[in-house]
Amino acid sequence: QHEPVQGQYSWEGDGDLIRFIELAAQHDLYVVVRIGPYICGEYYFGGLPLWLRHVDNIDCFRCIDPVWQREVQKWMSVVFGKIQPQLYPNGGPIIML
């Protein structure tokens, strides 16, 4: 998980997204990034951080809830900031988000 504590991001070890993307590029592979925040049912709580359940009386996940939308916007901004240089139009291997 990249945000185990609200507002504290971890991109080290197995969570080093940029290193993974760079390795893919070194092997002439393209990358499709599933930035979430919900990524799939195979992950505990769909890949959502567990702390999200307790934020500002959130009413609904993956719907039009202002708290959900605020938190998604924060997450997207962090991820986009990290991966933007790796997008295909910028010379990187990311072809799809």
Side-chain angles (χ1 to χ4, degrees):
Q1 222 177 10
H2 290 104
E3 192 179 5
V5 176
Q6 186 176 11
Q8 296 179 14
Y9 302 97
S10 174
W11 302 97
E12 294 87 30
D14 289 343
D16 192 340
L17 178 61
I18 299 304
R19 178 73 179 132
F20 176 82
I21 294 168
E22 290 170 347
L23 284 171
Q26 288 175 12
H27 294 278
D28 297 321
L29 297 172
Y30 294 115
V31 176
V32 174
V33 178
R34 294 174 66 183
I35 59 174
Y38 180 87
I39 53 174
C40 70
E42 291 88 23
Y43 287 88
Y44 184 72
F45 202 49
L48 299 172
L50 295 178
W51 56 261
L52 189 59
R53 297 178 295 176
H54 308 290
V55 173
D56 296 339
N57 296 318
I58 192 167
D59 288 327
C60 181
F61 299 103
R62 301 169 49 203
C63 64
I64 302 176
D65 177 89
V67 177
W68 168 256
Q69 290 179 329
R70 180 192 70 212
E71 295 302 319
V72 167
Q73 179 61 43
K74 287 180 193 176
W75 171 246
M76 296 291 183
S77 294
V78 169
V79 175
F80 286 146
K82 290 194 78 62
I83 66 172
Q84 186 173 12
Q86 300 293 335
L87 298 175
Y88 189 79
N90 298 331
I94 298 175
I95 59 171
M96 185 184 302
L97 301 175

